[in-house]
């Protein structure tokens, strides 16, 4: 028996902001299952802004070249197994891109244990609050920036997948939390649904630094940044003495041919700022503990994760492109025909 | 008895690179000595590039306005005292600017203890290796960046007052040390006199990042930076995983009306870089211990401090302006008529 699977590959390297025509769909015949192999049928795929950085240059991983499958995290179900670690029906998560199905040796495929990903928690949490986005927020706020109760924490991209979790993690730690988001709707959501004390709609603020000064009158002790560029500069001008900046992404830079960077480097000296870049995998040994705490918050309602579910594998590029136009309201997930 | 003292005041706020005409000399009658006061006659005054930042904008201290005395560290001798803490003849150091003599309540005036500043160590060390420059280097390398034996340490402005000390501190800690300096002469000095393994002459390198890659093939574990801008960007592109950047100054920025800043902020994530700004006063409680270790290195010949002594109070502005043209070969000190 042979079966085919569709996948999205890069058609051409984006030049500036990505277009749907930068992607093309390909259909491949899956290789036969061998000893040790499994077949996984994906149910959900995430589309993440950080992927643009991979499409355009060497960064945390080598640049993705035309013809290669686009990066993305997935959850799916094992449909065939010749690997003793997996049984048919197992729910799994993997990071091997925009594919309907795939054959794997099992390396890099993680089983979703029902104790964590069982009711009331959906398996989608593996690519959400309990996946890379959520854990990035958790470790950025808690591990890198070491936010403490009573401190002021500012979070950029506060309505996005990472930012919305960072807001809640900081709030759960007893911090005073302020967000920055790109519309009145998003700003309202960050305050009303996520529990921030205030949220700046940067599109309405000609002077973002002044807006931060207004909402964080005692200075910013921790800035969790996913945006970079002008946003990061505005925050640097408002850090308190000894303030910490954790950067997990620089979304405003990914669609630029030349990065803008930051100007306010002198503030590092004036304000004794420490800035640290990180990726979630740096904290791998602490994942289990973090997931337990995060799950507890989810179950008690102290952590909500916003998803936007978009139906149809064919819509992945449009969903991705929309991220750079500020369309999304949380993590964008593509639901495949087999998803529930 | 009244006495007069000359001082250099800011004539006009520098616009870009400073000119000698930005300064003017004023003569003032010293106020009479009151209960608790001292009179100090300076013997040496330092001219420091970091001062330009104060002349042009609010930074670590409020901007200096025209008519105010220019910042600088001094050593001098007490010539009159009505303060029980000081005796006539005491050697002291202070940071109250380009003045021949001054009257003080004694606040901010530190006595130079002969145990530290006695032979073979000159009192000038109080504004050199054992003063703000030297301690900035010490705490940057050791306290902020936590350089460890075997690591690669890169130092910008390596022939300058702070940089030349940082090179030696890192070498004394067992690090592999590479400098960046602005001429062949300076680069030779950094290697031959200060013990760096290599020194890049950035004026001969069209691609500074490539030059760093060549001299630091295993990556830069610690970058001690006093320059900023393009130099900092080039270093960021060469940091090893988990590399630390300590910034004590951003000299390339001080003469710019708009700072250039840095572009390579994405490298913070790719390379897990931590960058921290500091000033030496953050480490005040550790000064005594640091000075003891530094003095030991000086006595044993493991720490040399390059000074350039320029005679005549009237030459202070020219000496200062020359710092921004790369003229200096170490700390520039002005020797006053009374200096020895």
């Amino acid at each position: 028996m042979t079966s085919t699977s569709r996948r999205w590959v890069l058609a051409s390297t984006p030049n500036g902001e990505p277009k749907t025509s930068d992607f093309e769909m390909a259909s491949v015949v899956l290789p036969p299952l061998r000893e040790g192999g499994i077949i996984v049928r994906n149910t959900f795929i995430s589309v993440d802004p950080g992927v643009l950085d991979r499409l355009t240059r060497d960064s945390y991983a080598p640049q993705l070249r035309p013809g290669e499958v686009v990066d993305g995290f997935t959850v799916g179900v094992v449909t065939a197994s010749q690997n003793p670690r997996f049984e048919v029906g197992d729910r799994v998560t993997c990071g091997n891109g925009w594919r309907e199905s795939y054959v794997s040796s099992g390396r890099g495929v993680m089983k979703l244990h029902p104790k964590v990903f069982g009711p009331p928690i959906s398996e989608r949490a593996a690519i959400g609050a309990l996946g890379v986005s959520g854990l990035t927020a958790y470790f950025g706020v808690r591990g890198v920036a070491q936010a403490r109760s009573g401190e002021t924490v500012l979070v950029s991209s506060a309505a996005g997948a990472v930012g919305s979790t960072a807001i809640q993690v900081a709030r759960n730690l007893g911090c005073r939390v302020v967000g920055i988001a790109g519309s009145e709707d998003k700003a309202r959501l960050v305050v009303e649904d996520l529990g921030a004390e205030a949220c700046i709609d940067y599109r309405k603020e000609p002077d973002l630094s002044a807006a931060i000064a207004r909402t964080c009158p005692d200075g910013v002790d921790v800035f969790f940044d996913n945006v970079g560029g002008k946003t990061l500069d505005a925050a640097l001008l408002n850090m308190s003495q000894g303030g910490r900046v954790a950067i997990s992404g620089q979304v405003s830079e990914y669609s630029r041919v030349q990065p803008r960077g930051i100007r306010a480097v002198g503030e590092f000296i004036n304000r004794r700022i420490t800035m640290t870049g990180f990726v979630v995998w740096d904290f791998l040994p602490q994942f289990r503990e973090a997931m337990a705490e995060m799950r507890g918050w989810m179950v008690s309602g102290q952590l909500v994760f916003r998803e936007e579910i978009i139906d149809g594998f064919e819509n992945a590029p449009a969903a991705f492109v929309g991220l750079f136009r500020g369309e999304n309201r949380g993590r964008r997930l593509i639901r495949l025909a087999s998803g529930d």
Side-chain angles (χ1 to χ4, degrees), chain A residues 98-129:
Chain A
W98 296 2
R99 306 171 197 258
E100 282 185 311
S101 293
Y102 58 91
V103 173
S104 167
S105 67
R107 272 189 62 182
V109 179
M110 281 187 296
K111 274 167 82 162
L112 302 180
H113 289 284
K115 267 198 186 167
V116 177
F117 296 96
I121 306 302
S122 153
E123 67 184 21
R124 295 191 308 272
I127 52 176

Side-chain angles (χ1 to χ4, degrees), chain A residues 144 221 223 236 239 242-246 268 271-276:
Chain A
V144 177
D221 299 306
F223 180 43
L236 290 173
M239 299 304 291
R244 291 90 70 201
V245 179
F268 279 81
R271 298 167 189 270
R272 322 293 199 274
I273 298 167
T274 292
M275 181 165 88
T276 304

Side-chain angles (χ1 to χ4, degrees), chain A residues 88-155:
Chain A
V88 171
D90 278 350
R91 301 290 169 145
V92 295
T93 184
C94 186
N96 71 345
W98 296 2
R99 306 171 197 258
E100 282 185 311
S101 293
Y102 58 91
V103 173
S104 167
S105 67
R107 272 189 62 182
V109 179
M110 281 187 296
K111 274 167 82 162
L112 302 180
H113 289 284
K115 267 198 186 167
V116 177
F117 296 96
I121 306 302
S122 153
E123 67 184 21
R124 295 191 308 272
I127 52 176
L130 302 182
V132 165
S133 303
L135 292 172
T136 297
Y138 181 90
F139 288 112
V141 171
R142 191 147 214 194
V144 177
Q146 307 218 353
R148 290 182 294 268
S149 179
E151 289 192 316
T152 296
V153 175
L154 180 69
V155 176

Side-chain angles (χ1 to χ4, degrees), chain A residues 32-50:
Chain A
L33 197 60
R34 297 219 179 105
E35 181 71 33
I38 57 174
I39 299 178
V40 176
R41 194 182 67 226
N42 282 328
T43 51
F44 291 91
I45 292 172
S46 69
V47 293
D48 302 305

Side-chain angles (χ1 to χ4, degrees), chain A residues 10 14 16-20 22-23 46-56 70-72 98 254 310 315-328 332-334:
Chain A
L10 190 63
E17 204 170 279
K19 306 178 299 296
T20 53
D22 294 328
F23 305 90
S46 69
V47 293
D48 302 305
V51 168
L52 182 57
D53 205 29
R54 274 217 65 193
L55 303 186
T56 53
V70 182
D71 257 11
W98 296 2
Y254 300 152
I310 294 163
N315 292 320
F320 178 72
V321 164
L323 296 173
F324 300 92
R325 302 186 184 145
E327 286 177 6
N328 56 306
R332 284 201 151 172
L333 300 178
I334 306 299

